[in-house]
Amino acid sequence: MKKILSKKVLVPIIAIVFLFVGSSYKSDFFEIAKQIEIFTTLFKELNMNYVDETNPAELMDTAIKNMLEELDPYTKFLNEQDVETYRINNAGEYSGIGAMVRSFKDKLLIIEPHQGYPADKAGLKAGDEIIQIGDIKVADFEENASELLKGANGSTVTVTYKRQGKTNTTTITREGIEVDAVPYFKMIDDKTGYIVLAKFNAKATEQTKAALLDLKGKGAEKIILDLRDNPGGLLSEAINVTNLFVPKGELVVTTKSKVKKFNREYHTNNQPVDEEIPLVVLVNGSSASASEIVSGSLQDLDRAVIMGARSFGKGLVQRPLKLTYGTQLKVTISRYYTASGRCIQALDYWNRDESGNAVRNTAYNDFTTRNGRKVQDGGGILPDIEVATSKTNDLTLALLQNNVIFDYATNYFYAHKYNSVTDFKFTDADFSSFKNDVKKSSFSFETKAEKAIKNALSGDENDFLGSDVKDSYKTLLANIEKGKINALDKYQSEIQKNLEDEIVKRYFYRDGLYQYYLNNDEAILAATELLGNNSKYNGILK
């Protein structure tokens, strides 16, 4: 049925519906009204006259989603169920089984059970494949089957799952789940405190402040704030977290939009907890949005040294707009600019390449921090000090996205036993074992060079290529394939870090992973060393 209303037809017609808001509506009233009338007529006639039965709700949902895909990945239509999920994510509380779950067509994969919560109590482990929930087989359920795991506190749900080829059944009693913004904080040494800020939900400022005060009470004279893998969240929390370290009245971020009321300057409103304590902020390629507001503004104000790898580069602000029947439109309303005036948006969704992919900014503009240090826009937050293992590359991302690292960690867990996190050691022999698994697996990773060569071989130009040229192309492709296997060694440090992270969580949960970091994570060790050298730390900022 989705083929009935093609993307090309729907985009220009249905796009008009959501442009009914703001200044565009006022200036183009006739055109908007005209297009809405065309669409209303089309939709009515289609559903009344099509040869088979249609599902109006499904058609409309498909139409809206196809239209929004033309804009950016953050502008989304939220049905009533999505609205509730959005509220839960921001509030940091919900009722369920307490596990990260990934949906597939025929199964739900347990990515990470949270320690002490229902899924963990019921014995579920990362890597378990849920194939049935109650009487419903996941493969037969057309919607997202993970919704079947949610329910009221105290209610139960029976799940059937596969583990290492064996089928098992367990009953889970749902509970209220609290999602901590700060899942871990601890003293690294006598004078250095470490805080993990994992997300910017409504608890972010409160929990970061509590952790900071607790560590200061234990003697902390220096702080490492870890924003790695923090996907962002509430803008207000980003400003308030920044405010913990900078004075009242500082400009943190500015938002600019075509709609006047969304143009705002955001200043700190409270007295800081400590505006002098030496501070290092850790970021990586998965630090986005609110994480980049905090790290970027602290960098612009010369309040902290940023370490790690270039951040994600999301400089867009979204706001939920209420629609009818309990639905909402989460729409990109503005771009944000850090204290120095830079927008760090990395992808240009409004100027795409021939394949329809957003173009990555490569021409950066220079800005200056308060002390005159050069910083740049357009590509995320570039750390003051880069750390090799914090960086990402296409091969590592492909291994993660295709669950190659995840699956290896699952098998490793059932083949090895450790009693404490200090016992764990990932050896060169283990990495060789991983490489053999990759070679044997169906994992495929196509580089840009491979894609270009394959296109050349399959295109019209192929008719004009002689056999020698074609053979040369094929030899080149074979060499590229060999090079990808060799790249496993080239990027061993980055890949091994991800393997260690995934494996340690299997045995010792998140707390164990952070404990492991304190003695083994390259970025934390480098940050601790920097904070121990006052002249070097101050030299970077000044």
Side-chain angles (χ1 to χ4, degrees), residues 73 88 100 136 214 259 328 380 427 435 503:
I88 287 170
M100 289 179 60
I136 301 174
D214 184 277
V259 182
Q328 292 183 6
T427 65
K435 286 195 297 181
I503 292 169

Side-chain angles (χ1 to χ4, degrees), residues 179-188 193-201 203-205 207-209 211-212 215 223-231 241 245 280-282 291 510-511 513-518 521 524:
V179 182
D180 286 330
V182 176
Y184 187 87
F185 63 92
K186 193 172 184 179
M187 294 293 291
I188 297 177
Y194 172 66
I195 301 172
V196 178
L197 177 51
K199 56 189 62 185
F200 284 87
N201 60 24
K203 300 179 179 182
T205 305
Q207 292 187 349
T208 305
K209 181 178 180 179
L212 179 57
L215 293 172
I223 292 292
I224 298 172
L225 180 63
D226 197 340
L227 298 181
R228 290 176 298 178
D229 300 319
N230 184 321
V241 167
F245 302 99
V280 169
V281 178
L282 305 181
S291 298
R510 281 275 164 180
D511 270 11
L513 177 61
Y514 296 131
Q515 183 182 338
Y516 180 77
Y517 278 177
L518 298 186
D521 183 80
I524 294 175

Side-chain angles (χ1 to χ4, degrees), residues 428-444:
D428 287 339
D430 290 329
F431 192 75
S432 294
S433 172
F434 170 73
K435 286 195 297 181
N436 289 332
D437 274 17
V438 174
K439 292 174 185 177
K440 295 175 185 176
S441 73
S442 58
F443 168 69
S444 62

Side-chain angles (χ1 to χ4, degrees), residues 86-101:
Y86 182 74
R87 185 196 66 77
I88 287 170
N89 287 339
N90 285 335
E93 297 177 1
Y94 69 98
S95 179
I97 68 168
M100 289 179 60
V101 178

Side-chain angles (χ1 to χ4, degrees), residues 273-312:
V273 172
D274 194 325
E275 59 182 281
E276 299 292 338
I277 192 168
L279 177 65
V280 169
V281 178
L282 305 181
V283 297
N284 64 8
S286 296
S287 304
S289 189
S291 298
E292 295 173 298
I293 290 175
V294 172
S295 55
S297 291
L298 289 173
Q299 185 181 51
D300 288 352
L301 296 169
D302 295 304
R303 179 60 188 87
V305 172
I306 312 302
M307 294 184 67
R310 187 185 289 275
S311 64
F312 181 81

Side-chain angles (χ1 to χ4, degrees), residues 10-261:
L10 287 170
V11 168
I13 296 175
I14 304 187
I16 307 304
V17 174
F18 288 110
L19 292 178
F20 224 80
V21 181
S23 60
S24 294
Y25 173 75
K26 296 175 183 177
S27 60
D28 299 315
F29 177 82
F30 174 75
E31 187 63 22
I32 293 172
K34 172 185 172 183
Q35 297 301 330
I36 289 174
E37 186 175 352
I38 290 173
F39 172 72
T40 302
T41 307
L42 178 150
F43 193 67
K44 176 183 175 183
E45 294 298 334
L46 176 68
N47 282 284
M48 288 179 63
N49 297 296
Y50 188 70
V51 63
D52 291 324
E53 284 296 319
T54 59
N55 184 323
E58 185 178 305
L59 281 175
M60 181 60 78
D61 193 62
T62 301
I64 292 172
K65 288 177 179 176
N66 281 337
M67 173 191 68
L68 296 181
E69 282 180 4
E70 293 291 300
L71 303 176
D72 63 66
Y74 314 111
T75 297
K76 294 182 179 180
F77 171 68
L78 306 177
N79 59 33
E80 292 172 277
Q81 182 175 294
D82 295 331
V83 170
E84 180 62 15
T85 300
Y86 182 74
R87 185 196 66 77
I88 287 170
N89 287 339
N90 285 335
E93 297 177 1
Y94 69 98
S95 179
I97 68 168
M100 289 179 60
V101 178
R102 186 174 298 158
S103 296
F104 293 87
K105 185 177 180 180
D106 59 347
K107 65 186 178 185
L108 295 176
L109 181 64
I110 299 293
I111 300 298
E112 181 183 352
H114 301 308
Q115 186 174 12
Y117 280 115
D120 183 38
K121 291 177 182 178
L124 291 179
K125 302 289 185 184
D128 289 347
E129 301 174 358
I130 297 176
I131 56 175
Q132 185 168 324
I133 303 171
D135 297 327
I136 301 174
K137 292 184 178 180
V138 173
D140 296 337
F141 195 71
E142 293 184 2
E143 304 297 327
N144 185 348
S146 64
E147 294 299 320
L148 298 174
L149 297 175
K150 297 177 182 177
N153 289 1
S155 62
T156 60
V157 59
T158 300
V159 299
T160 302
Y161 63 95
K162 287 184 178 179
R163 175 186 294 172
Q164 298 286 286
K166 296 181 180 179
T167 302
N168 307 282
T169 301
T170 189
T171 299
I172 308 172
T173 302
R174 301 180 181 97
E175 296 177 11
I177 311 297
E178 292 191 14
V179 182
D180 286 330
V182 176
Y184 187 87
F185 63 92
K186 193 172 184 179
M187 294 293 291
I188 297 177
D189 56 35
D190 291 343
K191 295 183 178 181
T192 310
Y194 172 66
I195 301 172
V196 178
L197 177 51
K199 56 189 62 185
F200 284 87
N201 60 24
K203 300 179 179 182
T205 305
E206 172 193 344
Q207 292 187 349
T208 305
K209 181 178 180 179
L212 179 57
L213 290 172
D214 184 277
L215 293 172
K216 282 171 63 70
K218 292 175 180 175
E221 297 176 4
K222 311 155 190 175
I223 292 292
I224 298 172
L225 180 63
D226 197 340
L227 298 181
R228 290 176 298 178
D229 300 319
N230 184 321
L234 299 173
L235 174 63
S236 58
E237 291 298 308
I239 295 159
N240 290 334
V241 167
T242 305
N243 194 176
L244 297 175
F245 302 99
V246 302
K248 181 178 180 180
E250 287 281 5
L251 175 65
V252 175
V253 66
T254 302
T255 57
K256 297 180 182 180
S257 169
K258 70 176 183 179
V259 182
K260 271 189 176 182
K261 66 179 180 179

Side-chain angles (χ1 to χ4, degrees), residues 292-420:
E292 295 173 298
I293 290 175
V294 172
S295 55
S297 291
L298 289 173
Q299 185 181 51
D300 288 352
L301 296 169
D302 295 304
R303 179 60 188 87
V305 172
I306 312 302
M307 294 184 67
R310 187 185 289 275
S311 64
F312 181 81
K314 180 178 180 287
L316 305 175
V317 181
Q318 287 70 47
R319 172 173 291 190
L321 302 177
K322 291 183 179 180
L323 307 176
T324 55
Y325 297 103
T327 62
Q328 292 183 6
L329 173 66
K330 185 165 75 75
V331 60
T332 298
I333 58 168
S334 58
R335 292 177 175 84
Y336 73 75
Y337 299 79
T338 62
S340 67
R342 55 181 170 147
C343 180
I344 49 80
Q345 178 63 29
L347 294 176
D348 185 352
Y349 296 106
W350 299 272
N351 292 290
R352 298 174 182 256
D353 61 21
E354 294 178 355
S355 301
N357 298 315
V359 177
R360 180 169 291 277
N361 292 321
T362 55
Y364 304 141
N365 298 304
D366 292 341
F367 293 78
T368 56
T369 69
R370 175 164 288 174
N371 289 338
R373 297 186 299 137
K374 187 178 84 171
V375 290
Q376 294 181 316
D377 67 357
I381 304 299
L382 182 65
D384 302 305
I385 298 176
E386 295 190 85
V387 178
T389 53
S390 295
K391 296 180 180 179
T392 54
N393 55 73
D394 289 342
L395 175 59
T396 305
L397 288 174
L399 291 168
L400 289 167
Q401 291 167 354
N402 288 274
N403 277 2
V404 179
I405 287 175
F406 182 89
D407 291 340
Y408 181 83
T410 300
N411 294 328
Y412 185 100
F413 172 74
Y414 291 107
H416 300 77
K417 298 297 179 186
Y418 295 101
N419 295 319
S420 71

